[in-house]
Amino acid sequence: MVKAALPESQSPGMELRILRNGREDLKLELSQDKTLITHARTNRARFLGYEISVQHDDKQRTKRGQRAVNGAISLHVPTSMIKAKIALYSKRGKPARRSQVINFSDHDIVRIYGAEYRGVVQYYLLAGDVRRLHRLRWVMLTSMLKTLASKHHTSVRRIAAKHKAKIQTPHGPRTCFEATVERGKGSRPLVARFGGIPLRRQKNAVITDRHPGRLTYPRRQLIDRLQQGKCELCQHIGEVEVHHVRNLKELDRAEPARWRRVMAKRRRKTLVVCADCHDHIHHRESFPLTQ
């Protein structure tokens, strides 16, 4: 984004110079559709989700009589963004329940709504009109309460009274909604919270995109056993199959067969065997097992 002070009549030439300089000096090919010249006092430019304008108000003055805001850059919350977010939680123009999360626990429902609302608010704390998100807060809160009420077959008023709480903030106490999961002695309860964020501009707010840590899941042991291609009874190497039992209780019988003893020793309900041993287990054909 480039700020320039020049007459509006020279703006077409300025746009061409920006395109040429970007191509020749920076070796960048700028899109003509996205390279726009915007009059900052009468219109607003869009950048990184914000609307940017230049303030002008001769009535706002300092104690010395100087103009206080003229020429200052101002950040705004886009109206289109608010409408798009509200549409995600509405149906026919009214807040509606979300059937996608209705089968989740109360803690998870409040946690999901709280995280989504908190992400939007914290991103726009730099905007001077962040208070406009009050409408979004009401829609998301009503949608959350309707989802919980529909899950428990009760009224929205009772759900609101059950989860309503107050917390202390730097700007005083704020009302929020919490769902708590007790974890027994010695462990702090899990608390999911919606709201409780003052919708006031923070000049020093820092937008930090936290990258979630990648979860590493251990490989299934059965996959490794299959990839070895080795029968766990006769030690034959080749194509293998998997024999299953419903539960380990089936192996606790008097004078069990050798394959039962192997599965009981491994404490596994699966046994990787070759086709001959698998047939012998099911008594389809009589093949002696190698000792």
Side-chain angles (χ1 to χ4, degrees):
M1 177 170 288
V2 179
K3 178 184 177 182
L6 72 163
E8 189 174 0
S9 59
Q10 299 180 11
S11 59
M14 182 66 180
E15 182 176 354
L16 294 176
R17 288 197 298 271
I18 292 175
L19 291 172
R20 184 175 63 254
N21 293 338
R23 181 171 56 254
E24 296 177 356
D25 299 339
L26 302 178
K27 308 301 180 184
L28 297 177
E29 201 62 42
L30 303 179
S31 173
Q32 294 187 1
D33 297 333
K34 297 182 179 179
T35 305
L36 305 175
I37 301 295
T38 304
H39 191 268
R41 281 181 54 184
T42 57
N43 295 315
R44 294 178 179 179
R46 293 292 295 267
F47 185 70
L48 295 180
Y50 278 90
E51 287 185 346
I52 304 176
S53 66
V54 174
Q55 300 184 57
H56 184 84
D57 189 354
D58 293 335
K59 296 181 179 179
Q60 294 192 26
R61 296 176 179 266
T62 63
K63 294 180 179 180
R64 297 180 179 181
Q66 298 176 344
R67 297 179 179 87
V69 299
N70 285 4
I73 300 297
S74 177
L75 302 179
H76 305 273
V77 180
T79 303
S80 59
M81 185 281 300
I82 298 177
K83 292 182 178 180
K85 291 293 183 181
I86 288 177
L88 297 177
Y89 307 93
S90 304
K91 187 176 182 180
R92 297 178 181 177
K94 296 182 179 180
R97 68 175 188 177
R98 293 174 68 183
S99 58
Q100 300 91 336
V101 300
I102 198 171
N103 292 324
F104 293 0
S105 64
D106 292 1
H107 178 272
D108 286 339
I109 293 176
V110 177
R111 176 182 58 81
I112 292 172
Y113 273 90
E116 294 173 352
Y117 173 73
R118 185 167 57 252
V120 175
V121 172
Q122 290 181 347
Y123 186 81
Y124 286 102
L125 283 179
L126 291 170
D129 55 354
V130 66
R131 63 186 180 277
R132 297 179 59 206
L133 295 177
H134 272 296
R135 174 68 180 178
L136 176 63
R137 179 188 181 276
W138 176 80
V139 172
M140 293 184 65
L141 174 61
T142 306
S143 174
M144 182 187 73
L145 295 178
K146 285 186 176 182
T147 302
L148 291 170
S150 179
K151 174 185 176 181
H152 295 288
H153 304 286
T154 184
S155 65
V156 172
R157 181 177 297 179
R158 291 181 179 178
I159 289 294
K162 176 182 177 181
H163 294 283
K164 191 174 183 179
K166 280 188 176 296
I167 61 172
Q168 293 294 329
T169 69
H171 300 281
R174 289 294 187 273
T175 301
C176 63
F177 294 82
E178 296 180 347
T180 306
V181 176
E182 298 294 339
R183 296 195 293 174
K185 297 181 180 179
S187 299
R188 298 176 61 182
L190 295 176
V191 179
R193 179 179 296 126
F194 176 90
I197 306 175
L199 294 181
R200 294 191 178 185
R201 181 193 177 196
Q202 297 183 13
K203 296 181 180 179
N204 299 324
V206 178
I207 300 174
T208 303
D209 291 333
R210 294 182 298 175
H211 298 283
R214 184 176 180 180
L215 299 178
T216 57
Y217 296 95
R219 286 176 61 94
R220 294 286 184 179
Q221 188 180 15
L222 180 60
I223 298 177
D224 295 333
R225 292 159 60 193
L226 283 171
Q227 289 181 345
Q228 291 179 2
K230 184 177 181 180
C231 178
E232 295 175 347
L233 284 178
C234 68
Q235 309 303 317
H236 174 74
I237 297 178
E239 294 186 2
V240 292
E241 303 172 356
V242 181
H243 177 69
H244 300 262
V245 296
R246 289 181 180 273
N247 49 63
L248 294 176
K249 293 182 179 180
E250 297 182 5
L251 306 176
D252 298 334
R253 296 180 181 178
E255 298 182 0
R258 182 169 177 266
W259 65 270
R260 294 181 184 275
R261 295 198 304 269
V262 173
M263 296 183 72
K265 184 178 180 180
R266 292 172 174 264
R267 302 296 298 172
R268 293 289 184 269
K269 294 186 291 185
T270 58
L271 187 67
V272 178
V273 293
C274 61
D276 294 343
C277 293
H278 205 186
D279 290 339
H280 181 81
I281 291 174
H282 289 285
H283 302 288
R284 289 196 287 263
E285 294 183 14
S286 180
F287 284 95
L289 296 179
T290 303
Q291 300 296 330

